[in-house]
Amino acid sequence: MEIQLIDHIVYADYDELRVNNAVVNQIVCNTEETWQPDRPVEVRGKNTRQGKIAEEIVETFIKTHFNAGLSMKTYDDIRNDNYEKHAPFDFLIWKSGEADIEPIEAAIRKDILSTEKKNVKLSKYTRELCKELHVKIAEVKSTKIRAGLKRDACFGGNYEDMESVKKLADTIKKKDDVFCYPHYKRSEIDPDYSMSEYCQYVKSIEPSLAIYDGEELKKKVIDIELEKQCSDIFIRVYIDPAAKKGFVIGWMQRERLLDYAVRLKRMHQEGKSERALYFAKNLRETEILEKLPTLFKAETSVYASPFTSTDFYHKRADCCYLSRVRLGDMIVFESEEEAVKHSRYKHRCRKCFG
């Protein structure tokens, strides 16, 4: 596989791959269809293979670009279920030399064994362990580059013409999303189904929400979605199977995706997901893959928004009060003392410092 980094977009030529067709077939045969029950096996096989290609592109970039700076392990290298259950994530990523992930691996295998149905759920213990050891749970979302995207970008298929390729990548970022699926409902027949209707649906299931309505209800539902979502980051990859090319467009943290500005959308892909619901933000709001190491800043680092009128600094980059600030835009200080010296930021955020 050949990887290039051009204008912060990862381009992959994946003529040679490690993707095991037997594993792909095993996954298709053993896991249930969660989107369209009537999708042919051959189509599901192509989609599963596409996902594995996307994972390999991301893995190759992280291992080659960051050298020894970041370490990672795939879910497939941890799992003990012979590919019989749905994978809850794709990678674990951590700063090299700063985490012993054996306890996490053991906890994940225990979660797999304790899952009676097809969908593996990571326990609260496993997720807290990842948080304590500063290990991030990553999910790769892959999409085939549609003919419409190529048409809108006036792309003729020449991947040697880098200006045309850049225009295609820009078109993808303008038109598509980074996304995750709602916890309570993944599909809906009504084409006009709204966020407020989804919130009312969740309210009908969760007794604790009975006293809330309107904007307060929406905030509470988003808080629950954050709690239920196991992945820390979502990485978006686009694939052209015929040309054997792939792009890593960007990534986003869970807290930034699932904030008050998130949209509930329909994902209409004919023959695949005509009824699918998803939480989304535009790809232009994502971070470039080169920024992944910023997730693992030293414990002494503190963060501040250059856009705020307040004088607070924050212990965590994923603090809810920074949810609308891109990591690349945040001001990062090596210590609280450095933040105070700046003179503008004088007080601790009460939310993330406790």
Side-chain angles (χ1 to χ4, degrees):
M1 181 184 294
E2 182 181 345
I3 296 281
Q4 297 181 70
L5 186 63
I6 303 173
D7 285 352
H8 308 296
I9 300 291
V10 177
Y11 297 91
D13 185 330
Y14 61 83
D15 191 45
E16 296 295 329
L17 289 169
R18 301 192 315 270
V19 176
N20 188 322
N21 288 327
V23 168
V24 170
N25 292 335
Q26 185 88 334
I27 292 172
V28 171
C29 290
N30 286 335
T31 56
E32 297 174 355
E33 175 56 57
T34 58
W35 264 342
Q36 299 286 123
D38 55 349
R39 276 204 301 159
V41 172
E42 310 86 72
V43 175
R44 292 173 57 198
K46 287 181 181 179
N47 292 146
T48 301
R49 180 178 173 80
Q50 173 185 289
K52 290 300 178 187
I53 290 169
E55 290 171 29
E56 189 168 330
I57 290 171
V58 174
E59 181 182 3
T60 301
F61 177 79
I62 290 175
K63 288 183 174 178
T64 56
H65 183 79
F66 297 118
N67 298 318
L70 295 181
S71 295
M72 65 182 301
K73 193 155 194 174
T74 68
Y75 179 77
D76 286 349
D77 286 338
I78 299 171
R79 68 194 306 169
N80 56 351
D81 64 340
N82 197 29
Y83 302 95
E84 293 181 0
K85 300 175 182 178
H86 286 282
F89 67 92
D90 296 309
F91 301 121
L92 296 178
I93 305 174
W94 65 96
K95 191 172 181 179
S96 298
E98 296 197 1
D100 176 10
I101 68 159
E102 285 189 11
I104 296 175
E105 291 183 66
I108 291 169
R109 293 187 184 110
K110 184 176 180 181
D111 290 342
I112 294 171
L113 290 174
S114 63
T115 300
E116 295 180 0
K117 297 182 179 180
K118 289 289 185 178
N119 294 296
V120 175
K121 302 292 184 185
L122 296 188
S123 64
K124 183 178 180 180
Y125 170 79
T126 301
R127 292 174 61 189
E128 288 296 327
L129 189 59
C130 287
K131 186 175 180 180
E132 180 184 332
L133 296 176
H134 308 293
V135 174
K136 300 298 182 181
I137 302 169
E139 185 173 349
V140 176
K141 301 287 192 182
S142 67
T143 298
K144 179 182 176 181
I145 301 175
R146 306 182 298 279
L149 289 171
K150 293 180 180 179
R151 183 175 59 250
D152 291 343
C154 301
F155 182 72
N158 181 11
Y159 283 97
E160 301 302 317
D161 181 352
M162 292 315 301
E163 288 305 312
S164 293
V165 171
K166 290 176 188 177
K167 188 175 180 182
L168 175 59
D170 286 341
T171 300
I172 291 171
K173 292 182 76 170
K174 288 177 185 176
K175 291 187 171 290
D176 276 15
D177 303 311
V178 58
F179 63 91
C180 67
Y181 302 107
H183 175 74
Y184 293 93
K185 194 175 192 179
R186 288 190 57 166
S187 65
E188 170 58 44
I189 296 175
D190 181 1
D192 299 317
Y193 195 73
S194 66
M195 173 69 91
S196 61
E197 288 175 294
Y198 178 74
C199 290
Q200 288 296 328
Y201 175 76
V202 177
K203 179 179 177 178
S204 71
I205 297 172
E206 293 288 348
S208 63
L209 299 178
I211 62 173
Y212 299 103
D213 280 303
E215 299 304 304
E216 282 300 312
L217 174 61
K218 180 181 175 182
K219 290 176 183 177
K220 293 295 181 181
V221 169
I222 291 172
D223 285 345
I224 294 173
E225 292 286 342
L226 268 171
E227 181 185 340
K228 299 289 187 182
Q229 176 56 248
C230 81
S231 295
D232 296 305
I233 58 175
F234 302 92
I235 304 172
R236 284 296 269 130
V237 180
Y238 280 72
I239 302 292
D240 186 337
K244 295 187 176 180
K245 307 291 183 183
F247 305 152
V248 184
I249 299 295
W251 61 277
M252 186 175 283
Q253 290 188 92
R254 174 183 65 221
E255 289 80 7
R256 178 157 171 74
L257 175 55
L258 291 171
D259 67 9
Y260 193 69
V262 70
R263 295 165 293 143
L264 182 70
K265 295 181 66 176
R266 295 287 295 271
M267 177 187 287
H268 182 83
Q269 294 184 43
E270 189 174 352
K272 180 181 178 182
S273 54
E274 289 95 332
R275 300 176 181 177
L277 292 171
Y278 67 122
F279 288 124
K281 287 201 174 170
N282 186 259
L283 283 169
R284 286 175 292 186
E285 299 181 61
T286 58
E287 304 289 344
I288 58 178
L289 207 57
E290 297 155 275
K291 291 278 188 181
L292 269 181
T294 60
L295 287 169
F296 305 96
K297 287 286 186 181
E299 281 293 291
T300 57
S301 296
V302 295
Y303 307 84
S305 168
F307 312 117
T308 184
S309 58
T310 70
D311 61 359
F312 292 104
Y313 56 86
H314 306 263
K315 185 177 182 180
R316 297 173 57 88
D318 58 5
C319 175
C320 63
Y321 293 115
L322 292 174
S323 63
R324 296 192 181 187
V325 184
R326 290 163 56 96
L327 266 176
D329 293 332
M330 286 183 197
I331 301 173
V332 183
F333 298 103
E334 292 185 1
S335 65
E336 291 187 64
E337 290 76 15
E338 287 296 317
V340 173
K341 281 181 184 178
H342 189 274
S343 75
R344 179 180 172 186
Y345 305 101
K346 300 177 180 179
H347 297 102
R348 287 180 163 190
C349 167
R350 300 185 190 92
K351 177 79 172 180
C352 57
F353 275 95

